[in-house]
Amino acid sequence: MDISFLGGPAPQRGVGVVAPFDFALDRELWRWVPDEISLHMTRTPFVPVEVSLDLARLVSEHETLGEAVRTLNVIAPEVVAYACTSGSFVGGVAGERAMCEAMTWAGAVPSVTTSGALLDALAELGVRRVALVTPYTVSVTRALEEYVAEAGVTVTGCAFMGLTRHIWKVPYRDVAAMARQAVPRQGAADALFISCTNLPTYDVIPQLEAELRIPVISANQVTMWAALRRLGTRAVGPYQALTDLSARTGPVVPGPAGPAVADLPGVGDGPDTEQQQEGWT
């Protein structure tokens, strides 16, 4: 059979992604990416440190970032994204900007970070009061609160899990429980941010938006949204206020076949031996 009429694969535009060595959610990033975009992943070198402020500083050193970006240069991505929330807020607003400059210098292409994308997303949605959910310990969570406050956004509530490892194993039910603690009533915040690129969030976002009646944004979501916006294209995320303009006109309601939060994988009763919940404020 002659298949020459097929030509070849459609042209692809590349997004380089620098992630920490323990990042385990590559596939989640791809779920926000349209078909004409390819992600090119690289990781920072392994260091024997649990999730902490020390680790955030180690995986965001400019020399480390520069080496990671240079490994992507041969692929010639059009934009580079640093997919780590704590690593990009640990130095404050000025530190995040310096990281972008270091990556741009190393790769000669526009660069974004997760925490910089967070501030862009809050501005896009007109958010002045935000609630936070994190898997972190109290010290890392406080650093995020300080970063957001430095940018002029009020933190109205915060729930954290106290984890230092295996964050990618947290089920949706625990993310949803933290969200309800951070936003205990309607009107408590303009939006909710779920931090950490190693925390799965894609499926739970529209369900929480429908329940809480506010935009819900997450680390991986804002990272892909910001990177793709640099390319002049949109991230794919049905029923998510940040990525779906129709979802901003009122309360977000899933489609007819959309599952309730309790019906999502990992949402419901049952023990979770990996999680050690520390508290909420």
Side-chain angles (χ1 to χ4, degrees), residues 6 18 30 71 100-101 106 140 155 168 187 189 201 240 248 269-270:
L6 293 176
V18 178
W30 277 94
T71 67
C100 287
E101 292 174 1
V140 182
V155 177
W168 66 89
T201 58
Q240 300 177 19
R248 302 185 193 180
D269 296 330

Side-chain angles (χ1 to χ4, degrees), residues 59-97:
V59 297
S60 61
E61 292 177 343
H62 288 191
E63 182 178 352
T64 298
L65 293 177
E67 287 297 323
V69 171
R70 281 188 284 274
T71 67
L72 296 169
N73 285 347
V74 68
I75 307 170
E78 296 182 49
V79 63
V80 172
Y82 177 60
C84 179
T85 323
S86 60
S88 53
F89 68 61
V90 69
V93 172
E96 188 278 331
R97 291 171 180 164

Side-chain angles (χ1 to χ4, degrees), residues 4 6 9 50 56 91 101 108 123 170 198 203 220-221 226 232 235 238 252 257:
S4 60
L6 293 176
E50 292 186 324
E101 292 174 1
V170 174
N198 229 1
D203 294 306
N220 284 326
Q221 180 204 48
V252 180

Side-chain angles (χ1 to χ4, degrees), residues 44 65 100 108 114 150 215 230 241 259 262:
T44 61
L65 293 177
C100 287
T114 299
E150 183 185 355
R230 296 297 192 281

Side-chain angles (χ1 to χ4, degrees), residues 174-228:
D174 295 335
V175 176
M178 290 286 102
R180 296 181 189 111
Q181 291 185 31
V183 187
R185 64 187 184 281
Q186 287 192 23
D190 300 332
L192 172 70
F193 173 60
I194 305 173
S195 190
C196 190
T197 53
N198 229 1
L199 188 66
T201 58
Y202 186 93
D203 294 306
V204 81
I205 288 173
Q207 312 302 330
L208 285 174
E209 288 189 334
E211 179 180 332
L212 302 176
R213 304 303 176 106
I214 56 175
V216 175
I217 56 179
S218 75
N220 284 326
Q221 180 204 48
V222 299
T223 304
M224 289 295 96
W225 169 80
L228 294 172

Side-chain angles (χ1 to χ4, degrees), residues 73-148:
N73 285 347
V74 68
I75 307 170
E78 296 182 49
V79 63
V80 172
Y82 177 60
C84 179
T85 323
S86 60
S88 53
F89 68 61
V90 69
V93 172
E96 188 278 331
R97 291 171 180 164
M99 290 177 64
C100 287
E101 292 174 1
M103 290 191 296
T104 296
W105 183 85
V109 293
S111 301
V112 301
T113 74
T114 299
S115 294
L118 164 62
L119 300 186
D120 289 345
L122 294 176
E124 170 76 10
L125 296 169
V127 173
R128 304 304 303 168
R129 302 178 308 133
V130 66
L132 305 175
V133 165
T134 89
Y136 311 132
T137 61
V138 62
S139 59
V140 182
T141 300
R142 293 291 177 262
L144 173 59
E145 291 179 323
E146 292 168 4
Y147 173 81
V148 172

